[in-house]
Amino acid sequence: MAIVLGPNQYGKAQTHLVRVQRDTPRHEIRDLTVSTALRGDFGAAHVDGDQGDVLPTDTQKNTVFSFAEEHGVGTIEDFALALAEHFLAQAPAATGARIEIDETPWQRIATGDGEHDHAFVQSGLGTRTTVVNVDGRGADRTAHVVSGIKDLTVLKSTGSEFHGFLKDRYTTLAETDDRILATSLIARWRYGTTDVSWDETFASVRGLLLARFAEIHSYALQQSLYGMGHTVLEKHPDIAEIRFSAPNKHHFLVDLSPFGVDNPNEVFHAADRPYGLIEATVQRDDAPEAGAAWHAVPGWV
Amino acid sequence: MAIVLGPNQYGKAQTHLVRVQRDTPRHEIRDLTVSTALRGDFGAAHVDGDQGDVLPTDTQKNTVFSFAEEHGVGTIEDFALALAEHFLAQAPAATGARIEIDETPWQRIATGDGEHDHAFVQSGLGTRTTVVNVDGRGADRTAHVVSGIKDLTVLKSTGSEFHGFLKDRYTTLAETDDRILATSLIARWRYGTTDVSWDETFASVRGLLLARFAEIHSYALQQSLYGMGHTVLEKHPDIAEIRFSAPNKHHFLVDLSPFGVDNPNEVFHAADRPYGLIEATVQRDDAPEAGAAWHAVPGWV
Amino acid sequence: MAIVLGPNQYGKAQTHLVRVQRDTPRHEIRDLTVSTALRGDFGAAHVDGDQGDVLPTDTQKNTVFSFAEEHGVGTIEDFALALAEHFLAQAPAATGARIEIDETPWQRIATGDGEHDHAFVQSGLGTRTTVVNVDGRGADRTAHVVSGIKDLTVLKSTGSEFHGFLKDRYTTLAETDDRILATSLIARWRYGTTDVSWDETFASVRGLLLARFAEIHSYALQQSLYGMGHTVLEKHPDIAEIRFSAPNKHHFLVDLSPFGVDNPNEVFHAADRPYGLIEATVQRDDAPEAGAAWHAVPGWV
Amino acid sequence: MAIVLGPNQYGKAQTHLVRVQRDTPRHEIRDLTVSTALRGDFGAAHVDGDQGDVLPTDTQKNTVFSFAEEHGVGTIEDFALALAEHFLAQAPAATGARIEIDETPWQRIATGDGEHDHAFVQSGLGTRTTVVNVDGRGADRTAHVVSGIKDLTVLKSTGSEFHGFLKDRYTTLAETDDRILATSLIARWRYGTTDVSWDETFASVRGLLLARFAEIHSYALQQSLYGMGHTVLEKHPDIAEIRFSAPNKHHFLVDLSPFGVDNPNEVFHAADRPYGLIEATVQRDDAPEAGAAWHAVPGWV
């Protein structure tokens, strides 16, 4: 029996970068939080303390900043792919690179003269995110993109039921045909290709998720998620699968009868913990292999 | 020398309430986090453990929920005033009541058929808040409303300078005539009256704060805040004063010269801590006395 | 009517400093988060954008770091006092300085050879804190120290009752003579002098707060706090008053009767929100005037 | 091509439970945050909205509370195993169950009369955690336990070097033979069996991790982690592998030379973001198969 090094990775987490595009007086900004990591044959660093193969995390941070100037920041997916390629080229011991980027949404401030050229306010519908994994080099190279959205908090004030569930000795929950359904959605979808219109696809998927959440008459959060995912895959052939992690943010109808007050589904206590947690995948049965696509993607599988 | 009880208050903090208005198929929701507190002659509870004068915090919570049904939730200011009145009537030992309410913003989800009737997504420009203090009864009664906005994160990518400052032995900061100015604003304004169109005034103040932040060519965050507050007071005679607490969220220009790369104010590191913290008040010199208006308002004075 | 600048202050918040004392192989570390602020006649900065009187927050940060080397870090109270004096000397427009310091507790790691010389683990009973306000110069100078502790989370599994309270139409709470009492305590005490053995007094006050919380048979959190504060003042003549902010962290007895299971005060649901919030002051009736002692101390009054 | 349901699970997250053992006047408390989840053949719930196979998350929560009374809470590992077994028995559609428990550390309050019988204060060296996965039934049943510790924040003020690393065009980091090494450790170890003295092993592993962190002269955080893991595996044959996730909490030496002040490794700026992130596994090369042991364990692989 021997004790050996197993899987490992290292990198710089949460480099917070703001890139201003100022070619014209009408500025654009991209606000990114970038985490980079390399994995591979780094046994010497761990076992012997020999850093000869280790491209420091400080260098990774420097690279993120400089790439933002040298190459600009277009979409977070392309920026992540470029960084992954670069790090694999720089660090021969690395067999794979993982880049995660969150993009904080900003919009222009409205003034009496219309949208301002260089003043912005944070607001948006969720946070856009991507995780890119690139493995191997040359003919063996594979590149995977898993993009997503998080902090997309949605609520339906009706159009949600929950009944007919399995019961046992510990079941006290009442069945209901009208409840609040609310979640703070995390959705991540795996692209089957890297030849994608990233911005357009993100906007479309977000719109579909919101619209389908609204439209589906829900018999459980599971069913809403499945329907939302199904539509996304129908409309986007370049998406191979989509995964959801969705807290069921309970809104409990408050019993006002002790005060002689009726409560016809109008006053709810929004509880924090515990919460239901629903996790589900919707996928194509002929999807290309996931390979390392989900490597170190925050989540549940 | 004696050791005695000094100022005190007690209550229920952060009752999270969602009120659905469902008189028509087009629902409305109000999402409130309510904190209530009573202050006054509660010496027996503290010194002797006698709770005879103490209206329990559990009762306060029940009242918040029941009032939301019995009286509905119009504006957070009116809801807070009604609660304060009620608690003073119920608890004779109380000399004052303080109600704080935050309102989480939601908007309707857009679908192919337009805005949905009963599906919503959290999004907005900051969180609306109010703190109401009511003291005394009958002829001695005073009621104060301090409303505000928080989590209003704004950024200018140019139009901000900082130079000409005092220097001493420890000064290393370079002067600049072009920097990013960013803050996550908290503004709270004291009304001189309770006869106010709360919703309209809130919307107007938020709009003015945003627009003035955008328009003012800034020589310091202090100067931006003063200008923003000045405009708010000019436009709103019913506001007696406005207080700001504004972190200067530093965006450091990244030095890319070691890599032979120029950085013409395009790539910034958005730092977390430490941050500048600017706190300022703008007020009318003939404003009515503040009295207890700022009692237990979260902030800095 | 004129619109004018009111109270204001500015500074650098949350400079996170670790000071290593390495005169011998047995190192000591102090882990401080320091916030500094100046207040006074800074109208020009606000109204005209003229920074001539403004000692930049960046300079304040530099000073904090350099003072840690030049003067060392003894107690947080002495360090704060020295910084406040210095800033008032450097910035003639300032009429007052406020310094807040939190100290993160570390202890030595135990190894087979005893406590290690230079390896530490974060652990402790609460976080020590101080807020120092110095106003004026020369004969008019006043210096106030408010020290405290926060994040001191305590629980009694019995020895706590709650009954005999005021009831109204909205009261449903059952009276109890045995409940869990728990809080995450914030206590801040104002010293009547600056001639204090800071470390010894802090350790003593913390010990008294813990012991009295444990020993007092409680009829309400109010009564426990009053008793704790009373003992602190009895034992420490140099403390003029003590203020508490204490969430009543509710532990609800879970009703297991639907499952035919008795629950004799053994299984509790620890709830997050809403929570009770008890705030109280215990003071000497002959205490010296507080003056600016509580200026911008985080809290409730 | 068809669009189908893929992997999924559902459950109740973060049920916060305090169990008081009060058989004698000297109470014991266990403070647990429990998350339960079931996975398996839940297609009907997702595709058709049919909940017939779904044991509600509310029932799962009830069960957690009732089990705490019916069976008591011994170790978190045994409690989790019992819950997993039960849920698999109750929900025939489930193929696997996952139980995660965090235990918040408390210690007795010291009074003049020694340690108090029923008063406690939160304090400890990290938070103990476990994730249990049970799959299948009867002869096919497998049970895996991954226990761990998190929030174990440690620091060495010397005895840490970093040099000899790979350099490229973007490398500016200076080599050093004396720096602060600090991390907030998460370690999770997979047991090869469920026949373990859980409490003793946890205490031993925590002690080894701390002692080895202290003792190892570090040439990189990677090397410290590897050494720590190696010792744990050497001493504990029932542990098959151990995984670390360790932020490199940078402490930057502050340049005081502009002020004419030397800084001989004494004053550091403790930075928040970005941070290094080191993730590594140490394992036996003859370890039993992991199977579902790491299913939905929070982390990085």
mmCIF file of all heavy atoms in Angstrom, chain D residues 81-95:
data_model
loop_
_atom_site.group_PDB
_atom_site.id
_atom_site.type_symbol
_atom_site.label_atom_id
_atom_site.label_comp_id
_atom_site.label_asym_id
_atom_site.label_seq_id
_atom_site.Cartn_x
_atom_site.Cartn_y
_atom_site.Cartn_z
ATOM 1 N N LEU D 81 -26.549 8.175 8.743
ATOM 2 C CA LEU D 81 -26.769 6.815 8.212
ATOM 3 C C LEU D 81 -28.182 6.335 8.524
ATOM 4 O O LEU D 81 -28.854 5.741 7.670
ATOM 5 C CB LEU D 81 -25.720 5.853 8.790
ATOM 6 C CG LEU D 81 -24.326 5.953 8.153
ATOM 7 C CD1 LEU D 81 -23.274 5.288 9.043
ATOM 8 C CD2 LEU D 81 -24.311 5.324 6.755
ATOM 9 N N ALA D 82 -28.636 6.594 9.735
ATOM 10 C CA ALA D 82 -29.984 6.151 10.111
ATOM 11 C C ALA D 82 -31.050 6.844 9.270
ATOM 12 O O ALA D 82 -32.024 6.218 8.826
ATOM 13 C CB ALA D 82 -30.215 6.424 11.604
ATOM 14 N N LEU D 83 -30.865 8.139 9.037
ATOM 15 C CA LEU D 83 -31.829 8.870 8.210
ATOM 16 C C LEU D 83 -31.839 8.339 6.778
ATOM 17 O O LEU D 83 -32.904 8.164 6.165
ATOM 18 C CB LEU D 83 -31.505 10.366 8.217
ATOM 19 C CG LEU D 83 -31.854 11.114 9.504
ATOM 20 C CD1 LEU D 83 -31.189 12.488 9.529
ATOM 21 C CD2 LEU D 83 -33.381 11.253 9.663
ATOM 22 N N ALA D 84 -30.659 8.097 6.234
ATOM 23 C CA ALA D 84 -30.588 7.611 4.854
ATOM 24 C C ALA D 84 -31.298 6.264 4.715
ATOM 25 O O ALA D 84 -32.089 6.043 3.780
ATOM 26 C CB ALA D 84 -29.120 7.495 4.415
ATOM 27 N N GLU D 85 -31.043 5.377 5.637
ATOM 28 C CA GLU D 85 -31.713 4.066 5.612
ATOM 29 C C GLU D 85 -33.227 4.227 5.640
ATOM 30 O O GLU D 85 -33.967 3.601 4.877
ATOM 31 C CB GLU D 85 -31.300 3.233 6.840
ATOM 32 C CG GLU D 85 -29.872 2.805 6.883
ATOM 33 C CD GLU D 85 -29.520 1.826 5.772
ATOM 34 O OE1 GLU D 85 -30.437 1.192 5.193
ATOM 35 O OE2 GLU D 85 -28.324 1.723 5.470
ATOM 36 N N HIS D 86 -33.668 5.077 6.540
ATOM 37 C CA HIS D 86 -35.099 5.275 6.703
ATOM 38 C C HIS D 86 -35.733 5.804 5.421
ATOM 39 O O HIS D 86 -36.775 5.321 4.976
ATOM 40 C CB HIS D 86 -35.352 6.253 7.860
ATOM 41 C CG HIS D 86 -36.778 6.677 7.973
ATOM 42 N ND1 HIS D 86 -37.735 5.897 8.588
ATOM 43 C CD2 HIS D 86 -37.422 7.784 7.518
ATOM 44 C CE1 HIS D 86 -38.907 6.517 8.519
ATOM 45 N NE2 HIS D 86 -38.743 7.668 7.875
ATOM 46 N N PHE D 87 -35.129 6.801 4.821
ATOM 47 C CA PHE D 87 -35.743 7.412 3.634
ATOM 48 C C PHE D 87 -35.790 6.423 2.471
ATOM 49 O O PHE D 87 -36.753 6.387 1.701
ATOM 50 C CB PHE D 87 -35.009 8.692 3.237
ATOM 51 C CG PHE D 87 -35.262 9.832 4.180
ATOM 52 C CD1 PHE D 87 -34.210 10.570 4.699
ATOM 53 C CD2 PHE D 87 -36.556 10.180 4.559
ATOM 54 C CE1 PHE D 87 -34.443 11.636 5.575
ATOM 55 C CE2 PHE D 87 -36.801 11.238 5.441
ATOM 56 C CZ PHE D 87 -35.743 11.957 5.949
ATOM 57 N N LEU D 88 -34.746 5.632 2.354
ATOM 58 C CA LEU D 88 -34.774 4.624 1.277
ATOM 59 C C LEU D 88 -35.893 3.611 1.517
ATOM 60 O O LEU D 88 -36.508 3.103 0.567
ATOM 61 C CB LEU D 88 -33.415 3.920 1.170
ATOM 62 C CG LEU D 88 -32.347 4.750 0.454
ATOM 63 C CD1 LEU D 88 -31.003 4.038 0.509
ATOM 64 C CD2 LEU D 88 -32.748 5.009 -1.000
ATOM 65 N N ALA D 89 -36.140 3.311 2.784
ATOM 66 C CA ALA D 89 -37.233 2.377 3.088
ATOM 67 C C ALA D 89 -38.602 2.985 2.791
ATOM 68 O O ALA D 89 -39.530 2.296 2.382
ATOM 69 C CB ALA D 89 -37.151 1.936 4.556
ATOM 70 N N GLN D 90 -38.716 4.287 2.990
ATOM 71 C CA GLN D 90 -40.021 4.934 2.842
ATOM 72 C C GLN D 90 -40.355 5.269 1.397
ATOM 73 O O GLN D 90 -41.522 5.362 1.041
ATOM 74 C CB GLN D 90 -40.041 6.254 3.653
ATOM 75 C CG GLN D 90 -39.881 6.071 5.141
ATOM 76 C CD GLN D 90 -40.880 5.108 5.734
ATOM 77 O OE1 GLN D 90 -40.527 3.968 6.065
ATOM 78 N NE2 GLN D 90 -42.126 5.520 5.818
ATOM 79 N N ALA D 91 -39.347 5.541 0.592
ATOM 80 C CA ALA D 91 -39.585 6.024 -0.769
ATOM 81 C C ALA D 91 -39.080 4.997 -1.772
ATOM 82 O O ALA D 91 -37.908 5.004 -2.156
ATOM 83 C CB ALA D 91 -38.880 7.361 -0.975
ATOM 84 N N PRO D 92 -39.948 4.101 -2.223
ATOM 85 C CA PRO D 92 -39.498 3.013 -3.096
ATOM 86 C C PRO D 92 -38.868 3.502 -4.400
ATOM 87 O O PRO D 92 -38.008 2.814 -4.969
ATOM 88 C CB PRO D 92 -40.791 2.235 -3.367
ATOM 89 C CG PRO D 92 -41.687 2.548 -2.210
ATOM 90 C CD PRO D 92 -41.350 3.960 -1.832
ATOM 91 N N ALA D 93 -39.271 4.662 -4.876
ATOM 92 C CA ALA D 93 -38.710 5.144 -6.137
ATOM 93 C C ALA D 93 -37.276 5.645 -5.990
ATOM 94 O O ALA D 93 -36.569 5.804 -6.981
ATOM 95 C CB ALA D 93 -39.587 6.267 -6.703
ATOM 96 N N ALA D 94 -36.874 5.892 -4.771
ATOM 97 C CA ALA D 94 -35.522 6.402 -4.559
ATOM 98 C C ALA D 94 -34.502 5.287 -4.743
ATOM 99 O O ALA D 94 -34.687 4.174 -4.240
ATOM 100 C CB ALA D 94 -35.395 7.006 -3.162
ATOM 101 N N THR D 95 -33.441 5.596 -5.454
ATOM 102 C CA THR D 95 -32.343 4.633 -5.570
ATOM 103 C C THR D 95 -31.185 4.993 -4.641
ATOM 104 O O THR D 95 -30.325 4.160 -4.372
ATOM 105 C CB THR D 95 -31.820 4.590 -7.013
ATOM 106 O OG1 THR D 95 -31.408 5.929 -7.385
ATOM 107 C CG2 THR D 95 -32.907 4.125 -7.973
#
